[in-house]
Amino acid sequence: MSSVSAGAIAALAATTLGATPVSASPDPSVKHRSNASVPDGLTSAGSLGLGTQRVAAGDKVDAGLRKATGPVDVMIELDAAPATTAFGQARGRGLAAAKSAARNQTSTVKAAQKGVESRFAATATKARTLYKVHTAYAGIAVRTDATKLTALAGLPGVKAIHRLTPKAPTNSSSVPLIGAPKVWQAMAQTGQGVRVGIIDTGIDYTHADFGGPGTVDAFTAAGASNTFTPTAKVVGGYDFAGDAYNADPTSDTYDPNPQPDPNPLDCNGHGSHVAGTTAGFGVASDGTTWSGGYSSDIDPASLDIGPGVAPEASLYALKVFGCDGSTNVVGEALDWAADPNGDGDLSDRLDVVNMSLGSSYGSPEDPDAVAANNLAALGTVVVASMGNSGDVYEVGGSPGDAPRVLAVAASDDGNDVVDGLKVDSPAGIEPADTVDGTQDNVFAALKSVAYDWTAEPGVTNVPVVTVGDWSQDPNAANNTDGCSPYSVSDQAKVTGKVVMQMWLDGTGRRCGSAARAQLAQDAGAVGVIYGSDVNAFSAGVTGDADIPAMLTVNQATVAITSQLDASQEVRVTMTNDLRNGVSIHNPKAIDQLADFSSRGVGVAGGVKPDVAAPGVTTFSAAVGTGNEGIAESGTSMASPHVAGEAALVRGSHPTWTVEEVKASIMNTATQDVFVGPNHTGDVYGPERVGAGRVVADAAVGTSTLAYVTDDKGAVSVSFGPVAVTAATQTLTKTVRIVNKRPVTSAAYVLSYDAAHPTPGVTYSFSPSQVRVPANGSVDVKVTATFTRSALRAVTDPTTVADPLEIGIQRSYRADVAQVGPTVVGGRVAVDDAGRRAVRAARARALQLERRDRRDVRRGATALVDAGAREREHRGGDAGREAGLLGHRRARRRRHRRR
């Protein structure tokens, strides 16, 4: 008897409108790059990210600027409060009073600006105004010489001076990549009127990205209250957890007792980041909420944070996490989403819900997965992340594995906003082909999460050292990676210095970032550089609270070690001044899979994930900063792209069922995801990326839908594990093709072309040609035929033999679940390998479409098929693989943020 698992046949519809979150990985020290809390003392109206803080009299210049030389761009913060403060304080007396207060405060701020600007002509305070802000921030951005800063700080009306660091938005790359702006412009659809629930760590509704005041003061005031007044963007919500809640019994902060309250303010950052990607308004370059509209192209230079996918959708903050750790209260939030006012009438359910959370090796029977499935059946589009556990069979998580839920994998959009590590000396060591495009001795880097960069000084102009032989692998005797205690001689070398440690990207490291930072501090080091072997960031680093640490690109590793090998001293600065200060544009990486993205599930009978979306160093709202952003990676960051897309589809087609909305998104996710750069190499299949990378404008514009009828809400066809006992065996399921055109029929030819075929498995369609009437549907039988004597185990070429890089070869199961040709109206769009095979189909389709040529130009449909795979023999090496990852512990119901 041969046993195979017949994979997904994804029923996909394309369109003529065209095609186009770093965080948790198997390394437990790798976490999201977001501050867990706001530092004490940040009570002013400035930006947390800019380090605004009450300072001693006469000490008004940011510490990071005190050693600056030459021209600098800075923000002069005024004593006068911004207009938003006055508006908020007067709001309780009525809208007219608030408007009057804001107008009066605007006049006050402008008068103060005029008074300070009048001194810019003097020699001691010479400066040039870049721009002025008065609404969400009261200040003047200027360019001046560093020698003028003290005098400028002494001017009447000046509260403080802060460095302006260069920023570039990455929502302004990932959101356009999936085609959202085409929906805003060509279809006038921005999600307005659609209600989206974010089940996460809450939302910082005071942030400018959500239309809030955009100040740290506003965030602090909101955090001091147990009440919540809905805003124009965050129109509702609830805190089911309380800030101290943590359901992880292995955590030092374990507190399993939720303390719910009405205020869903985010104290972690994850939920705000997710919400910004889903439906943030965007933040203009002056730090205010973007108000320039969405009907025409937006200049990225005018933005600090790009708009979310559905920028005018309404948000509900459903807080299920404390400030740290895990949760068991997801079910409560799903219940709330089904009946927000608790009156028993479920007609007011939310339109869309996003859950960037889950547990690895999850089961569709998980109560939260069942609840999510029920909510989707009720009428809410539920979107969830697939997980960040990499290329391991069946590791995909719950509740994303629920049949009706849209589960999302993570791909790359080729743009990153990251921090900067400055090499003070020697000059000119950054290579000409620097990945950030600017040869200025500032290298792309990621700050460690545990260190409080806003309150602590970091290190400035400090020598760098390495230990061991970097031409050899790290081990206890060759401690290049700092994973072993430093010897007495090495301690003498690193004391008072920044120690660079070898960092291997992926899973082959001896230890994580936290252990290394602690060992470096124990040895007397004052800072740590994790010198990576790659020029991209697949994950962020945690580090240690007591020592500054940064992960940097391989270009920095090579540049610094080369100088040290030549006995040249290298000195570096690692501070908060260059946060979000470096942009990496790598178009070669577009539509490559994020290594951390979980391989989905298949043995349970349903293939996941459903689609892929950008989720690598996505730039979105940073909690508690007022108006700043932060780069995060993970399937957590991919999922909200699809939730926003679902809001656009819902807004355009309010009468479509959840299954139809899901089908429109999956049917049009026709962009392949590749192993190699520049769209080269093997193409990933449904168990890793679902139908493919999403295309929002195609999803909104499609007029033909296709989905399986046997498994309600699944859309894809899956035959599950099959015991092939006969010489020839067949299984059949039904795909329904629905024509949403009101007056025009549509015709299609159905065919199949596997990119990675498995011998002994074929698919056929009956009928193989269909004409679907206007506002009608046609059912097609999909038959999988298994020929026992021909079955062979063929490895998916996208899998890695040793995913943990520890010398243990994995087990495989053959997989023929690959995207084949896409029949578009009367045209055929296929992978290059399948073009010849479908030329005849194209001719037949054109004949059938002769009467409907006009409609052919507008509409589109596809059936993209998937195949069979041998059952993986779990246990053996695969079992050891799972045990080494520690994922068996994750089978419990406890869920984590992705």
Side-chain angles (χ1 to χ4, degrees), residues 174-201:
S174 62
V175 172
L177 180 67
I178 69 169
K182 295 179 182 178
V183 180
W184 308 341
Q185 297 165 18
M187 305 171 188
Q189 177 55 246
T190 58
Q192 191 169 25
V194 180
R195 301 173 304 147
V196 181
I198 305 296
I199 299 180
D200 214 293
T201 65

Side-chain angles (χ1 to χ4, degrees), residues 573-644:
T573 291
M574 301 190 304
T575 66
N576 200 45
D577 288 344
L578 290 172
R579 74 206 171 282
N580 300 331
V582 176
S583 296
I584 301 175
H585 180 58
N586 182 15
K588 295 180 180 180
I590 293 174
D591 293 325
Q592 284 188 285
L593 183 70
D595 289 343
F596 55 75
S597 191
S598 289
R599 179 175 283 273
V601 298
V603 170
V607 174
K608 293 282 182 169
D610 295 300
V611 292
V616 178
T617 53
T618 300
F619 198 71
S620 187
V623 68
T625 63
N627 56 17
E628 294 206 347
I630 191 169
E632 298 267 8
S633 293
T635 53
S636 277
M637 285 63 247
S639 181
H641 281 88
V642 179

Side-chain angles (χ1 to χ4, degrees), residues 193-552:
V194 180
R195 301 173 304 147
V196 181
I198 305 296
I199 299 180
D200 214 293
T201 65
I203 299 176
D204 177 6
Y205 47 82
T206 71
H207 196 283
D209 198 26
F210 306 113
T215 68
V216 176
D217 276 350
F219 177 79
T220 302
S225 171
N226 285 331
T227 63
F228 166 59
T229 301
T231 70
K233 169 61 69 175
V234 185
V235 300
Y238 192 75
D239 182 357
F240 299 90
D243 290 352
Y245 172 67
N246 183 354
D248 183 359
T250 67
S251 172
D252 293 338
T253 60
Y254 177 54
D255 184 350
N257 301 307
Q259 298 292 328
D261 65 61
N263 185 6
L265 185 71
D266 190 1
C267 62
N268 173 276
H270 189 274
S272 299
H273 194 281
V274 166
T277 300
T278 303
F281 286 126
V283 177
S285 57
D286 63 359
T288 61
T289 302
W290 173 254
S291 59
Y294 309 101
S295 61
S296 58
D297 290 340
I298 302 173
D299 179 6
S302 66
L303 296 168
D304 274 355
I305 302 174
V309 177
E312 293 188 306
S314 298
L315 292 173
Y316 288 77
L318 306 180
K319 184 174 179 289
V320 297
F321 292 95
C323 297
D324 195 15
S326 303
T327 181
N328 272 325
V329 298
V330 172
E332 285 189 88
L334 290 167
D335 228 37
W336 193 99
D339 186 13
N341 62 5
D343 66 352
D345 179 1
L346 306 186
S347 62
D348 61 345
R349 60 188 175 271
L350 299 185
D351 299 306
V352 180
V353 159
N354 182 80
M355 292 187 289
S356 290
L357 49 80
S359 59
S360 296
Y361 293 108
S363 165
E365 309 304 315
D366 180 291
D368 291 338
V370 173
N373 214 53
N374 291 340
L375 180 62
L378 178 66
T380 298
V381 181
V382 181
V383 185
S385 53
M386 193 73 255
N388 304 322
S389 297
D391 190 11
V392 179
Y393 283 102
E394 299 298 317
V395 75
S398 168
D401 56 3
R404 294 179 183 272
V405 170
L406 248 171
V408 187
S411 61
D412 203 328
D413 70 340
N415 285 272
D416 304 328
V417 171
V418 296
D419 306 310
L421 180 147
K422 181 182 179 183
V423 175
D424 299 285
S425 63
I429 71 169
E430 190 172 13
D433 63 345
T434 175
V435 294
D436 59 58
T438 305
Q439 196 175 7
D440 56 1
N441 256 26
V442 176
F443 290 89
L446 296 179
K447 298 181 300 184
S448 58
V449 172
Y451 187 74
D452 190 348
W453 294 88
T454 60
E456 300 296 333
V459 295
T460 300
N461 200 27
V462 174
V464 180
V465 296
T466 59
V467 301
D469 181 358
W470 279 53
S471 68
Q472 303 298 317
D473 291 336
N475 54 55
N478 186 42
N479 195 24
T480 55
D481 59 1
C483 285
S484 300
Y486 287 92
S487 65
V488 173
S489 60
D490 286 341
Q491 287 182 30
K493 186 176 183 180
V494 305
T495 297
K497 308 292 197 311
V498 171
V499 58
M500 175 177 272
Q501 301 171 337
M502 181 182 292
W503 182 271
L504 303 177
D505 190 63
T507 56
R509 299 184 290 274
R510 288 203 299 153
C511 67
S513 63
R516 302 181 197 214
Q518 183 62 62
L519 289 169
Q521 185 188 19
D522 292 344
V526 297
V528 177
I529 298 173
Y530 305 116
S532 181
D533 60 342
V534 297
N535 283 323
F537 298 113
S538 62
V541 289
T542 301
D544 185 89
D546 298 322
I547 186 171
M550 285 187 174
L551 172 66
T552 192

